[in-house]
């Protein structure tokens, strides 16, 4: 032991150099390593969320949940599939073995879901994601000072694209109490008198408001695609659509500007607000993202309408009457598949 001490004492300059290099490396790492609220963990789990239908829990179970479960059951490395179904939504939790390559497993699950996608109801929206800490928001902002529909439009179409371009930001989710839409309220008596159904009316509107390729025209050694764009921009354009027998939508229904059915109420400080939840990319620096978004919020404050303010929020008051999003309303159940009554969590 004495000889080791003598050796270190004789080489004290070298020891000082090593200590200085290690200290410099520690300072550099402390300043450059990404900071996050949650550690970088890789859970052997993939979540499939299907939502957007008006079907009841039992119908969702047999038309959406079961087909997806059967499709993903042959993915290599799978150990367990658990699901929860409610009215209009379904969540399937897929667990893999600990040594599974989760990037490859995610691709396999997406491929299997895409194979059965055409057999599912057309209005269903499906999200397939790995279960990682980066799915959880690290930052929330409230947009206040106006009517709910206008606040949502500003947050969705003006602020979300700007925040999404901030380095390290993975996703920006916008929630609002009111989302604008054009409402078509059909008159059952008029439809019955013309021997038409609700589907006839809906299909006529759908076919007349799309963007379709209607032909090709060769010229000058080039082939031009002819596209018919009939996108609806106002209630009047919807009301003028021809349904059948020379009748237009206005003859069979009332067309007005409105909002989607209320499934949530977003409020900040007791006032109507739009909520922006910001998540980071895997490996992103949380502190750098917070500072960058704060700088962006300060720079866009002058471009907002009078009275509208964008400010960070630690919490948001949210209540709903029907499940707004299976991501928040659905939790894994203890049984593999079961139907449940509609409820909000």
């Amino acid at each position: 032991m004495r000889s080791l001490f003598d050796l270190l004492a004789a080489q004290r300059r070298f020891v000082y150099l090593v200590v200085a290099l290690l200290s410099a490396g520690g300072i550099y790492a402390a300043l450059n390593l990404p900071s996050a609220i949650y550690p970088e963990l890789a859970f052997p789990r993939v979540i499939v969320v299907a939502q957007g239908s008006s079907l009841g829990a039992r119908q969702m179970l047999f038309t959406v949940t079961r087909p997806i479960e059967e499709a993903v059951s042959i993915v290599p490395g799978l150990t367990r599939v658990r699901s929860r179904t409610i009215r209009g939504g379904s969540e399937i939790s897929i667990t893999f073995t600990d040594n599974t390559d989760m990037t490859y497993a995610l691709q396999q699950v997406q491929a299997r879901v895409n194979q059965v996608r055409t057999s599912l109801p057309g209005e269903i929206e499906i999200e397939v994601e790995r279960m990682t800490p980066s799915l959880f928001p690290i930052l929330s902002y409230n947009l206040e000072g106006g009517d709910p529909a206008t606040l949502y439009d500003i947050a969705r179409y003006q602020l979300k694209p700007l925040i999404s371009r901030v380095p390290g930001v993975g996703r920006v989710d916008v929630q609002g109490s009111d989302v604008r839409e054009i409402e078509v309220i059909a008159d059952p008596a008029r439809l019955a008198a013309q021997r038409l159904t609700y589907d006839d009316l809906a299909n006529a509107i759908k076919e007349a408001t799309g963007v379709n390729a209607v032909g090709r025209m060769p010229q000058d050694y080039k082939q031009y695609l002819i596209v018919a764009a009939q996108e609806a921009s106002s209630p009047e354009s919807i009301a003028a659509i021809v349904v059948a027998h020379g009748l237009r939508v206005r003859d069979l229904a009332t067309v007005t500007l409105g909002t989607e059915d209320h499934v949530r109420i977003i409020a900040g400080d007791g006032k109507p607000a739009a909520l922006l939840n910001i998540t980071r990319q895997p490996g992103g620096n949380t502190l750098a993202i917070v500072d960058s978004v704060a700088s962006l919020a300060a720079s866009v404050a002058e471009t907002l309408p009078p009275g509208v303010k964008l400010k960070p929020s630690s919490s948001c008051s949210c209540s709903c009457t029907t499940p707004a999003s299976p991501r928040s309303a659905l939790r894994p159940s203890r049984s593999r598949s079961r139907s449940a009554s509609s409820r909000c969590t």
Side-chain angles (χ1 to χ4, degrees):
M1 190 68 179
R2 182 65 179 174
S3 59
L4 177 60
F5 178 79
D6 293 340
L7 176 62
L8 294 177
Q11 303 293 333
R12 57 182 178 274
R13 294 182 178 178
F14 176 75
V15 174
Y16 294 154
L17 176 61
V18 172
V19 172
L21 292 176
L22 291 177
S23 300
I27 294 174
Y28 176 81
L31 296 176
N32 291 275
L33 286 176
S35 301
I37 300 175
Y38 308 103
E40 291 292 345
L41 301 176
F43 297 105
R45 188 173 166 190
V46 173
I47 302 295
V48 180
V49 178
Q51 60 178 326
S53 173
S54 58
L55 297 175
R58 183 178 179 81
Q59 289 75 22
M60 283 291 298
L61 176 65
F62 289 105
T63 61
V64 178
T65 306
R66 286 284 174 83
I68 294 178
E69 285 182 345
E70 294 171 357
V72 303
S73 62
I74 63 173
V75 174
L78 183 147
T79 60
R80 183 174 59 184
V81 177
R82 303 171 71 179
S83 65
R84 177 69 183 275
T85 304
I86 64 173
R87 180 174 64 84
S90 176
E91 180 185 84
I92 298 95
S93 176
I94 308 165
T95 305
F96 295 86
T97 57
D98 293 336
N99 59 349
T100 302
D101 183 350
M102 292 309 300
T103 302
Y104 175 75
L106 176 64
Q107 295 174 349
Q108 290 293 308
V109 173
Q110 291 174 332
R112 295 299 302 169
V113 171
N114 289 336
Q115 288 182 353
V116 299
R117 183 67 183 85
T118 56
S119 63
L120 303 180
E123 66 273 15
I124 288 292
E125 298 179 359
I126 300 179
E127 296 181 7
V128 183
E129 294 181 338
R130 288 175 54 188
M131 193 63 174
T132 63
S134 60
L135 290 177
F136 303 101
I138 62 169
L139 185 62
S140 296
Y141 271 79
N142 276 352
L143 187 67
E144 306 171 5
D147 67 275
T150 300
L151 292 176
Y152 178 85
D153 290 342
I154 295 173
R156 173 64 179 84
Y157 301 107
Q158 181 177 341
L159 299 179
K160 179 178 178 179
L162 295 176
I163 299 176
S164 298
R165 292 198 292 265
V166 172
V169 172
R171 184 177 62 215
V172 181
D173 293 324
V174 179
Q175 295 181 358
S177 300
D178 292 339
V179 180
R180 299 184 194 275
E181 69 175 9
I182 298 177
E183 295 182 349
V184 179
I185 305 174
D187 187 329
R190 297 180 188 177
L191 289 175
Q194 299 297 328
R195 297 184 179 180
L196 296 174
T197 65
Y198 290 105
D199 287 339
D200 295 331
L201 181 61
N203 291 334
I205 296 174
K206 182 178 180 180
E207 293 176 359
T209 56
V211 179
N212 302 311
V214 297
R216 299 182 300 273
M217 182 180 71
Q219 183 178 356
D220 299 332
Y221 303 101
K222 295 180 181 179
Q223 188 176 71
Y224 295 90
L225 182 65
I226 302 175
V227 177
Q230 299 173 317
E231 296 175 292
S233 58
S234 65
E236 291 73 19
S237 61
I238 295 291
I241 294 174
V242 177
V243 180
H245 314 308
L247 298 173
R248 300 181 182 272
V249 172
R250 68 168 68 96
D251 301 323
L252 303 170
T254 303
V255 185
T256 60
L257 282 175
T259 59
E260 292 182 357
D261 294 339
H262 284 168
V263 295
R264 63 172 70 86
I265 297 176
I266 306 296
D269 297 332
K271 302 177 182 178
L275 177 66
L276 296 99
N277 285 325
I278 303 168
T279 60
R280 69 182 181 91
Q281 296 176 349
N285 192 319
T286 299
L287 298 180
I289 294 173
V290 171
D291 293 340
S292 299
V293 175
S295 299
L296 177 63
S299 64
V300 301
E302 299 179 355
T303 66
L304 297 176
V308 177
K309 298 180 181 179
L310 178 66
K311 59 183 182 180
S313 172
S314 58
S315 63
C316 174
S317 173
C318 175
S319 61
C320 49
T321 56
T322 58
S325 172
R327 185 183 301 281
S328 60
L330 293 177
R331 297 177 182 174
S333 65
R334 294 186 178 181
S335 61
R336 184 174 184 275
S337 295
R338 70 175 186 180
S339 60
S341 60
S342 173
R343 69 178 185 179
C344 175
T345 57

